Amino acid sequence: MTEASPPQPAPTPGGPAQQGNGLAIAGFVCALVSVVLFWAPGINFVLWALGIVFSAIGLSRANKRQAPHRGLAIAGLLIALVPGTLLVIVIFLVTVVPA
């Protein structure tokens, strides 16, 4: 007696489904909102820090397992780092350099 093999699922068009990279999107959104809410120092700082962390993790995941949204992770890092660097420079100039 021969055993019948179980039916194989039909291939999906376009290849296998790719997992998302939600942290890259979250990092981009947090960085963008932190720039928009520059006038709210407490919220701005939290969103800025989250934008950097989420974007860095999203970029790492995109590089390791070919996850999508690598560009959003890079944009999130740039959007968060440029204003953050300027903020640090301004705070340094205000507190350290004598007027």
Side-chain angles (χ1 to χ4, degrees), residues 25-35 44 46-48 50-52 54:
I25 297 170
F28 176 75
V29 170
C30 285
L32 196 60
V33 172
S34 75
V35 170
N44 179 15
V46 171
L47 288 174
W48 171 72
L50 288 175
I52 290 175
F54 289 162

Side-chain angles (χ1 to χ4, degrees), residues 6-91:
Q8 298 294 325
T12 58
Q18 209 174 31
Q19 287 187 343
N21 193 355
L23 287 176
I25 297 170
F28 176 75
V29 170
C30 285
L32 196 60
V33 172
S34 75
V35 170
V36 171
L37 294 178
F38 68 92
W39 49 268
I43 297 170
N44 179 15
F45 180 75
V46 171
L47 288 174
W48 171 72
L50 288 175
I52 290 175
V53 170
F54 289 162
S55 293
I57 294 172
L59 183 61
S60 173
R61 285 186 179 179
N63 288 336
K64 284 183 184 175
R65 40 180 196 151
Q66 300 300 321
H69 306 302
R70 182 175 186 267
L72 280 178
I74 293 171
L77 276 173
L78 289 176
I79 290 172
L81 287 177
V82 170
T85 304
L86 291 174
L87 178 66
V88 169
I89 291 171
V90 167
I91 289 173

